[in-house]
Amino acid sequence: MTITTQSKAQDLSALVTDLDHAVRSTTGNDLETLDAVCEALRPALACSGLLLPEQRIGDPSAYRSHVLHVAPDGAFSLVALVWLPGQATAIHDHLSWCVVGVYEGAEHETRYRLTPDDRLVEAGSAIAFPGDVSGLLPPGDIHRVHNTSDTTAISLHVYGADLSVVGSSIRRAYPEWMRQPVLGEASN
Ligand SMILES: [Fe+2]
C-alpha cells in the first residue's frame, strides 16, 4: 500500500509541489482551484526561511516582483512581491485567477467596481497581515495594493498564467482619473 502525504511547505520546492498538486487536483473549476491553492499556500507563509535573501530585495523606485517558479506547462506561476513602505500598485485587474498570501508586513487592499459609464467606485478595503490568504477571480477583480506601513511588505502570489510568456499578471491598469473620489476627498 502506498500512502501519499501532502507536504507542509517547509521550503520553496515543497511549496511548488503542493501548489502543483492543488492546481492539478481540481476539475478545472476556477473556484475549486482558488480554494485548493489557498490551502496549499497558507502553511508556507509561516516558513521563515522560504525566500533567499535576493528574493526579499525591494526597489526604491517601485514595488518589485521576483518570479520564484513557473510550471513547465505554464499552468501556474509563483511570484514574491516586495513593497517598500509607501509603495503601491496601479489600480488593475488580472489575466487569470490569483491567490495572494502575506508573508511579511501588512498590505492594504482596496477593491473597485467598474460602473457602466467607466468610473471606478470603491467597493471595500481591508488590511492583510502575515498568514492571511485571499483569492481573486476575474472578472470583478479590480484592486490596488498599498503598503501603508513603515516596514517592508512581502507577499506570495500564485497566478493561473504562464508569466514566462505573458510577462505580467495584469490584464489592465486603470488610470487614476477613472476613480470616483470617495466622500470627503478633494476632486479635481
Ligand atoms: Fe493584483
Side-chain angles (χ1 to χ4, degrees):
M1 184 173 71
T2 302
I3 299 174
T4 55
T5 49
Q6 201 167 337
S7 63
K8 287 298 178 189
Q10 294 304 304
D11 59 34
L12 198 56
S13 65
L15 172 59
V16 167
T17 299
D18 289 352
L19 293 174
D20 199 86
H21 180 264
V23 168
R24 298 177 202 286
S25 64
T26 53
T27 59
N29 177 296
D30 280 348
L31 270 178
E32 279 183 35
T33 302
L34 273 190
D35 286 345
V37 171
C38 282
E39 292 313 306
L41 180 60
R42 187 173 283 112
L45 302 174
C47 178
S48 60
L50 193 75
L51 299 177
L52 297 171
E54 57 267 34
Q55 294 166 337
R56 304 166 50 88
I57 296 173
D59 179 344
S61 65
Y63 74 95
R64 181 166 178 185
S65 171
H66 299 275
V67 177
L68 304 178
H69 178 79
V70 178
D73 65 352
F76 72 96
S77 301
L78 171 63
V79 176
L81 294 185
V82 181
W83 279 272
L84 300 180
Q87 290 182 334
T89 66
I91 300 172
H92 66 279
D93 58 15
H94 309 86
L95 292 167
S96 70
W97 58 260
C98 168
V99 171
V100 180
V102 177
Y103 186 66
E104 282 185 19
E107 294 182 1
H108 186 276
E109 181 196 32
T110 307
R111 295 207 182 193
Y112 297 88
R113 64 178 174 82
L114 193 61
T115 66
D117 62 344
D118 259 0
R119 300 285 292 188
L120 292 166
V121 176
E122 195 171 313
S125 65
I127 299 178
F129 296 99
D132 288 342
V133 177
S134 62
L136 292 157
L137 192 59
D141 59 325
I142 305 172
H143 76 161
R144 186 207 310 269
V145 179
H146 188 182
N147 179 5
T148 53
S149 75
D150 57 5
T151 61
T152 296
I154 303 176
S155 50
L156 301 181
H157 297 235
V158 188
Y159 303 104
D162 184 343
L163 292 195
S164 70
V165 173
V166 296
S168 166
S169 67
I170 293 177
R171 186 185 74 91
R172 179 182 178 188
Y174 295 84
E176 285 295 320
W177 63 261
M178 290 180 64
R179 192 172 62 85
Q180 187 94 37
V182 295
L183 205 60
E185 180 180 302
S187 58
N188 49 20

